[in-house]
Amino acid sequence: MSEAPVEYDAPPEGLARRSRGLSLVWLLPLIAALIAVWLLYKDFTQGDIRATILFSSGDGLVKGKTAVKYSGVEIGVVDDFRLVPSAEELGGQDGVLAEVSFNRSAAYLLAKGSKFWVVRPEVSLTGVRGLETLVSGNYIAVEPGSGAPERHFLAVPEPPPHVRGDGLRVILKSSRLASLSRGAPVYYRQLEVGQVENYQLAEDASGVEIGLFIRREYADLVHRGSRFWNTSGVTIQGGISGVTVELESLASLIAGGVSFSTPEAQRQSPLAVDGNEFKLYKNFAEANAGIPITLNFDRGVSLTEGSTEVVYQGITVGQVSSAKANKNINGMEVKVLMDPITDDLLSENTQFWLAPPTLDFTSGVDDLLKGNRIEVDLRKGQRSVREFDAHSRPPPRDPRVPGLHLTLTARTTGSLQRGASVYYRQVEVGRVQGMALKPDGSDVEVYVVIDPPYAHLVNSESRFWNVSGLRASASLKGVEVETESLLALVRGGIAFGSGPNDHKNAARARSGDDFRLYTSREDALEEGVNIYIDLTGDEGLKEGSPLRYRGIQVGEITRMRLSNELDGVRARARLYRRAERFARSGTRMWVVGVKLGLDGVSNLDTLVTGPFLELEPGSGDQPQTEFVALAAKPVPDLADTMMMPGLALILDAPRRGSLKRGSPVYYRQVQVGQVTGYQLGELADRVYIYVYIEPRYRTLVRERSKFWHASGVDVNFGLITGLDVHTESTQALLAGGIAFATPDNPEMGLEVESGSHYPLYGSPENEWLLWSPKIELYPALEDSFK
Amino acid sequence: MKRLARGLAEGFWTCLGCRQLVSVAPGTRSCLCPRCGARMHGRVEASLMLTWALIITSALLLIPANILPVMTVIYLGSGDPSTIIGGALELYHSGLWGIALIVFVASIAVPVMKLVGLVMLCLIVQLRLDVPPRQAMRIYRVVNAIGRWSLLDLFMISILVALVDMGAIAEVEAGPGSTAFATVVLVTMLAVRAFDPRLIWDVYESRFTAATAETDKNHHREYG
């Protein structure tokens, strides 16, 4: 099928457009050109800077990889390497020249004096550094210099102070490196404030110079007077009290370390500046006890270097650093480091001496182990002295010790030692400082210090006695052993207490007072009066034999010596307190020993304890210290009995019969008195029998009383009466006796005075026995005569 | 050679929008398509100039695209910004020569080939070179076909940036070079689109007519 072709209208003709000149499309290449040009310009002006670094070895450097870093930022990269044979800068060794392209921003780092080095991972005892290089590979670090721009560098083999940034750099001089290593920490109060940067041998190889870096924020801790000491390793100090281990830190134990501090006295010294030199001390003690002094001993002394201490009143103020023989080998030269605080106390008045350890169970075993120590008496003076002549033994006294200083005088000191304690009620209140003989050699002076809190316990009446050793006493009661303390047993000791004459207002003792040192407590507290007694020497008395009065010990014999004429023994006895009144005229004493007799045994205990001296107080009021001991109890004579309150009578008898001293006198078979003695009459025609009637019964004796012998047995025998045995008493039967009777009231007569005479009949008349007068008796009186 | 009929010579234009043949009066510069209303020209207007401008733009943009880093692989905190060629080299040094080849072809060879091809086409048209038109058309078709594959590199970068984000361990950042490179690809594709391949035939036709006219002249000189 054919269709008629479609007739199209011819489109209207468009108007011809004028050319608009350059098409807008050319803006695009223009912009692109601008971008490219700008980039090229930037690349040209701010592109990389090429520089070369000469390394002695290219170990760990990678082409195109190894970066140059500054402050942790990558500022360049190694483009290429070239080998440089026999490089002049490396002293003829082959080197590796690295070509590095640097960021243009790092241009200022490329200056004269800049240092380049390779940072490698470093694992050391103080830590791990450069750990990032394990991942990123080694890199080249740079420390900027300050000079003209430079494009060719020589790498340094070791990092310069690898702690970038600013701080204080000081140099320590030491004779040895002493296990310090680079990076070893520097401590201030155990806080790490810096580290050891480097070290090198000194120019003259005489020592080591150690460079320290102190971080800026801590730089002002370092003064010119600061002291540095090595804290490497461990300090172990041991004693009985335990072991102390000192160590600054674990890191310094292994890698070494340095600590520093500024002594109080040096706080005002100027701050240290870069390059200051300090001495490195061996240890803290040395750094701290910075004053070296020399002590000259005139003989060999046993000292331990580094441990023997110098002590001032119990405070350690120094330490022996070396001890060696002096040049002439006749003594020792001891170097001591003293605490700086003693600086102005080391003068011509200062004294040093060697103090042996004192035995002490509380702290002293430690002292014993430590051995000797040096004691010092620091005193201000005119000039500063650094060399001293030391004494090998302590001075006996040191008045500077606080407390009450007393001088005790004794004949001997027993086992007293320097340092022995002074006890008051077994509490230690002071110490013995020393002892010295008096110049004339007569006595020993013991110098004692009582601690201040106890000084008031000593007054002018106090008594001091030696409590050294043991005291044993034996008696029938047993054996007594006494010691003040175990310590006093070994080291001796002194005790004191109130004296016998103590009273409330006794004056307080003052320093310098003199006291006697008694040998025992009894001596001290019972001291009364010394008396001297002449004895024949055969009584069996010995030193320590008691003096007794009525069974109570009132003193003892302290010494017995032959008299000058060798005709007897002269004893010194001491009367205890409150027995001083025996030292008077009229006092008599006699020896009491065992007495065996028909009428009994007495004083049997003296068999064991030995005889003693019995005293009888005298009535005189003259003091007397010289006595003669009687062999036996003195017989009271008439004069004695006349003085007594009872009635003393004299009976005239033809014979003594069996009467003796002590024979009883009976009234109605009741003993009312006794025979006190007898003697021949003046004309020897009779015997005077002295009779003493006790005061209570004196009224029984009247003018007409009759006395007769009551001794023996009266036997009457009759066929009708039988046997009549009559005796006054059994005792009278043996020892004899006297009986008397008084007539009935009207005829009895008056009472009689002492001294009256009566005849003594042989036997009574029957009539006498029947008398029974009524007589009122006196009340019983204290009879002082027994 | 047998000459084919040419619409332009017969007074016909093709609408590039709906491929409608439209007869136009001679001397007309442009008109509207009666069917779809698109603006019509006998030949694409200022095609050669546009192509040249875009070629120059992309050539200039190749400079930053190759100088500036395309991407930065930040691995464990330290990154190394790499340019296109640096990345390819790096891949090649790591032994991944296959990927290196792909990257090289897609990112370097293809844009350069495109530019070279376009420059050749423009020169053929501009200088009326004696190049067989079929070869020129082959060049055109190749340039047109491979244009889009240059974007491979950019796709890779964008995927990497999106995927590799492990904080401090590894990270990929696109650099300014990738922007420049993307612009290069875009501009070259526009340049290819701006080139009117009919110009090749116009050159051929004109050369042919000139040649026949020459032969006619010679013919007239011989036989005239």
Side-chain angles (χ1 to χ4, degrees):
Chain A
M1 150 177 145
S2 66
E3 286 180 20
V6 178
E7 285 293 326
Y8 293 102
D9 288 339
E13 291 184 16
L15 288 169
R17 280 182 301 177
R18 283 185 298 109
S19 172
R20 282 160 300 167
L22 203 59
S23 166
L24 273 178
V25 82
W26 288 104
L27 276 176
L28 286 175
L30 189 68
I31 290 166
L34 284 176
I35 289 172
V37 165
W38 178 68
L39 275 173
L40 285 169
Y41 167 79
K42 209 172 74 167
D43 195 42
F44 183 73
T45 57
Q46 304 195 345
D48 293 346
I49 304 166
R50 320 225 12 119
T52 62
I53 306 171
L54 184 59
F55 289 96
S56 58
S57 126
D59 197 13
L61 301 179
V62 185
K63 188 154 107 181
K65 259 280 172 69
T66 302
V68 181
K69 287 187 180 178
Y70 175 70
S71 206
V73 176
E74 204 171 299
I75 55 165
V77 71
V78 175
D79 284 338
D80 205 354
F81 292 115
R82 282 209 316 270
L83 280 179
V84 181
S86 318
E88 285 174 22
E89 296 96 328
L90 298 172
Q93 287 187 329
D94 291 359
V96 175
L97 189 74
E99 291 179 355
V100 184
S101 53
F102 284 95
N103 273 347
R104 190 155 285 276
S105 63
Y108 74 98
L109 296 173
L110 302 175
K112 212 168 182 60
S114 290
K115 293 193 178 78
F116 292 87
W117 68 98
V118 181
V119 177
R120 300 180 172 89
E122 193 177 328
V123 181
S124 73
L125 295 166
T126 49
V128 180
R129 278 193 302 280
L131 192 64
E132 70 274 14
T133 60
L134 287 177
V135 179
S136 65
N138 295 354
Y139 62 89
I140 298 168
V142 56
E143 195 188 43
S146 52
E150 174 84 29
R151 290 291 178 268
H152 301 283
F153 297 97
L154 176 65
V156 290
E158 288 194 334
H162 74 278
V163 186
R164 250 201 64 262
D166 73 324
L168 177 70
R169 289 180 166 83
V170 295
I171 294 164
L172 299 186
K173 284 179 142 0
S174 167
S175 57
R176 304 178 305 133
L177 184 55
S179 77
L180 286 174
S181 59
R182 183 145 29 81
V186 178
Y187 295 102
Y188 181 80
R189 301 186 189 279
Q190 297 198 326
L191 175 78
E192 196 177 327
V193 298
Q195 49 207 318
V196 173
E197 280 191 330
N198 50 29
Y199 45 80
Q200 62 190 45
L201 212 57
E203 296 280 327
D204 53 357
S206 64
V208 180
E209 289 178 352
I210 299 158
L212 289 195
F213 170 82
I214 313 287
R215 293 211 286 280
R216 173 55 64 197
E217 61 262 43
Y218 301 111
D220 56 354
L221 296 173
V222 188
H223 292 255
R224 298 295 292 275
S226 295
R227 289 164 186 276
F228 290 80
W229 68 92
N230 194 334
T231 49
S232 312
V234 196
T235 312
I236 301 179
Q237 287 177 325
I240 281 283
S241 52
V243 179
T244 57
V245 179
E246 277 179 46
L247 104 112
E248 201 75 9
S249 80
L250 211 52
S252 70
L253 166 69
I254 300 166
V258 175
S259 290
F260 72 93
S261 74
T262 309
E264 203 64 53
Q266 300 285 349
R267 288 281 152 86
Q268 304 308 321
S269 60
L271 290 176
V273 296
D274 278 12
N276 275 164
E277 290 186 349
F278 293 90
K279 181 171 183 242
L280 178 63
Y281 291 92
K282 257 192 296 202
N283 53 36
F284 170 71
E286 212 172 288
N288 208 31
I291 305 176
I293 60 167
T294 309
L295 305 182
N296 294 316
F297 284 93
D298 59 354
R299 67 188 69 185
V301 289
S302 158
L303 297 171
T304 319
E305 293 184 6
S307 88
T308 302
E309 292 172 342
V310 179
V311 178
Y312 172 63
Q313 297 187 10
I315 307 159
T316 304
V317 294
Q319 202 176 50
V320 172
S321 62
S322 83
K324 58 177 192 291
N326 62 10
K327 291 192 184 68
N328 308 325
I329 319 190
N330 59 2
M332 298 270 285
E333 189 180 82
V334 178
K335 293 242 188 301
V336 172
L337 282 162
M338 295 294 287
D339 195 310
I341 57 173
T342 63
D343 191 1
D344 49 354
L345 292 170
L346 293 167
S347 70
E348 73 274 9
N349 297 328
T350 302
Q351 286 195 321
F352 289 84
W353 64 86
L354 185 73
T358 49
L359 184 62
D360 197 322
F361 284 109
T362 46
S363 67
V365 183
D366 210 10
D367 279 348
L368 270 185
L369 285 181
K370 277 190 198 163
N372 290 343
R373 61 184 192 201
I374 295 175
E375 288 193 353
V376 60
D377 178 18
L378 297 163
R379 284 170 192 273
K380 278 198 161 71
Q382 299 299 322
R383 55 205 169 80
S384 183
V385 181
R386 290 292 180 265
E387 184 154 352
F388 298 90
D389 288 332
H391 308 282
S392 53
R393 61 182 54 204
R397 60 197 307 187
D398 179 7
R400 306 189 50 200
V401 177
L404 180 69
H405 290 255
L406 303 172
T407 307
L408 308 181
T409 312
R411 290 195 65 80
T412 62
T413 58
S415 59
L416 266 187
Q417 276 188 22
R418 178 173 178 274
S421 305
V422 177
Y423 299 97
Y424 182 79
R425 300 188 192 279
Q426 298 202 333
V427 175
E428 192 179 319
V429 296
R431 290 200 166 253
V432 174
Q433 272 200 327
M435 293 168 288
L437 265 181
K438 276 189 174 169
D440 58 358
S442 60
D443 277 328
V444 183
E445 284 187 334
V446 180
Y447 304 109
V448 166
V449 179
I450 309 294
D451 294 340
Y454 306 108
H456 66 276
L457 298 173
V458 186
N459 58 34
S460 57
E461 292 298 331
S462 294
R463 293 289 169 87
F464 290 79
W465 64 91
N466 199 332
V467 292
S468 314
L470 283 172
R471 282 178 310 285
S473 58
S475 70
L476 276 182
K477 295 194 292 283
V479 180
E480 258 186 80
V481 181
E482 227 186 306
T483 174
E484 190 75 8
S485 73
L486 208 51
L487 202 55
L489 180 66
V490 178
R491 208 175 58 178
I494 290 175
F496 72 92
S498 307
N501 311 321
D502 196 23
H503 46 86
K504 285 274 190 296
N505 46 13
R508 285 271 298 273
R510 289 198 304 274
S511 279
D513 281 1
D514 283 346
F515 287 89
R516 234 193 101 195
L517 178 62
Y518 296 91
T519 50
S520 71
R521 184 167 188 273
E522 290 73 25
D523 262 359
L525 299 189
E526 300 293 341
E527 190 223 19
V529 183
N530 273 335
I531 56 172
Y532 297 90
I533 307 162
D534 286 329
L535 300 162
T536 58
D538 53 4
E539 303 92 339
L541 291 172
K542 35 185 199 301
E543 285 182 19
S545 296
L547 273 61
R548 289 191 182 151
Y549 173 62
R550 298 194 176 209
I552 303 294
Q553 185 168 347
V554 295
E556 64 181 54
I557 293 177
T558 54
R559 203 179 61 190
M560 292 181 77
R561 280 196 323 210
L562 278 178
S563 63
N564 295 339
E565 294 79 25
L566 304 180
D567 58 351
V569 174
R570 188 172 164 79
R572 187 181 68 191
R574 203 184 63 242
L575 290 170
Y576 293 161
R577 285 174 64 187
R578 294 189 285 274
E580 291 94 339
R581 58 197 181 96
F582 286 100
R584 287 196 205 143
S585 57
T587 296
R588 291 183 298 183
M589 53 191 70
W590 57 93
V591 182
V592 177
V594 180
K595 208 163 73 177
L596 301 168
L598 274 177
D599 53 355
V601 180
S602 59
N603 306 323
L604 202 55
D605 61 333
T606 57
L607 265 181
V608 179
T609 61
F612 59 90
L613 277 173
E614 180 78 31
L615 299 187
E616 186 186 82
S619 52
D621 45 11
Q622 294 296 318
Q624 180 184 337
T625 55
E626 297 280 339
F627 295 93
V628 177
L630 307 174
K633 187 170 178 173
V635 180
D637 53 4
L638 189 61
D640 286 336
T641 52
M642 296 284 275
M643 301 299 298
M644 293 186 194
L647 189 62
L649 302 175
I650 305 165
L651 304 183
D652 301 354
R655 288 190 316 282
R656 182 180 71 100
S658 60
L659 289 173
K660 58 179 191 301
R661 197 166 163 270
S663 294
V665 176
Y666 297 105
Y667 182 77
R668 291 178 179 270
Q669 291 191 334
V670 174
Q671 188 173 346
V672 297
Q674 61 184 27
V675 174
T676 58
Y678 48 83
Q679 70 181 73
L680 280 175
E682 295 87 347
L683 301 174
D685 58 344
R686 62 193 69 184
V687 177
Y688 289 145
I689 304 210
Y690 300 111
V691 169
Y692 177 73
I693 307 296
E694 288 173 28
R696 204 184 152 201
Y697 303 110
R698 60 177 300 169
T699 55
L700 297 176
V701 183
R702 300 293 171 124
E703 286 172 330
R704 298 213 174 76
S705 294
K706 302 289 184 195
F707 290 80
W708 65 90
H709 267 294
S711 318
V713 186
D714 189 5
V715 180
N716 290 326
F717 182 74
L719 281 176
I720 294 152
T721 57
L723 187 63
D724 180 14
V725 181
H726 173 85
T727 178
E728 203 69 18
S729 76
T730 325
Q731 200 190 347
L733 183 73
L734 292 170
I738 293 171
F740 74 92
T742 300
D744 288 333
N745 291 13
E747 295 99 24
M748 67 170 72
L750 300 170
E751 289 182 31
V752 294
E753 292 290 319
S754 280
S756 304
H757 279 265
Y758 286 90
L760 181 66
Y761 298 98
S763 61
E765 303 205 2
N766 288 338
E767 180 199 356
W768 300 350
L769 300 175
L770 298 175
W771 288 344
S772 56
K774 292 175 175 57
I775 300 169
E776 198 173 331
L777 293 181
Y778 280 143
L781 277 176
E782 183 63 38
D783 193 353
S784 62
F785 176 67
K786 194 75 188 173
Chain B
M1 176 184 165
K2 192 168 187 266
R3 289 187 56 190
L4 298 171
R6 296 178 68 239
L8 194 64
E10 302 297 326
F12 285 104
W13 286 3
T14 310
C15 168
L16 289 180
C18 59
R19 295 289 189 267
Q20 169 74 32
L21 271 180
V22 178
S23 68
V24 288
T28 311
R29 285 191 63 87
S30 68
C31 61
L32 296 176
C33 170
R35 188 163 62 170
C36 66
R39 183 178 286 274
M40 291 176 54
H41 302 272
R43 293 283 176 267
V44 176
E45 202 182 10
S47 156
L48 210 53
M49 186 192 73
L50 204 61
T51 310
W52 273 123
L54 292 171
I55 285 170
I56 290 166
T57 305
S58 58
L60 287 171
L61 280 172
L62 267 178
I63 297 167
N66 280 295
I67 283 177
L68 295 175
V70 167
M71 69 170 180
T72 309
V73 179
I74 300 167
Y75 185 59
L76 284 181
S78 71
D80 195 7
S82 58
T83 55
I84 297 169
I85 192 133
L89 277 174
E90 211 163 305
L91 287 168
Y92 174 73
H93 284 305
S94 336
L96 302 167
W97 57 265
I99 300 172
L101 189 69
I102 291 169
V103 169
F104 176 80
V105 168
S107 312
I108 293 157
V110 167
V112 171
M113 272 167 64
K114 255 175 20 182
L115 281 177
V116 168
L118 278 171
V119 167
M120 276 169 66
L121 289 172
C122 287
L123 285 175
I124 286 167
V125 173
Q126 194 97 42
L127 303 178
R128 299 167 167 271
L129 295 175
D130 189 5
V131 177
R134 290 192 176 206
Q135 282 189 24
M137 280 309 291
R138 207 169 283 138
I139 290 172
Y140 172 75
R141 277 198 292 269
V142 167
V143 167
N144 204 3
I146 63 174
R148 65 209 63 168
W149 295 105
S150 301
L151 285 168
L152 199 70
D153 215 7
L154 293 170
F155 289 147
M156 186 187 81
I157 289 169
S158 50
I159 287 168
L160 278 178
V161 168
L163 285 182
V164 184
D165 183 7
M166 304 182 195
I169 297 171
E171 208 178 349
V172 174
E173 279 182 1
S178 58
T179 312
F181 185 74
T183 320
V184 169
V185 175
L186 204 72
V187 171
T188 47
M189 282 167 85
L190 285 173
V192 173
R193 199 166 166 277
F195 184 76
D196 193 344
R198 291 176 293 188
L199 291 171
I200 297 168
W201 298 105
D202 288 347
V203 168
Y204 173 74
E205 191 66 36
S206 62
R207 282 176 56 86
F208 191 82
T209 3
T212 48
E214 193 73 20
T215 47
D216 286 349
K217 241 168 70 180
N218 292 344
H219 192 82
H220 286 299
R221 206 177 293 159
E222 284 176 36
Y223 309 103

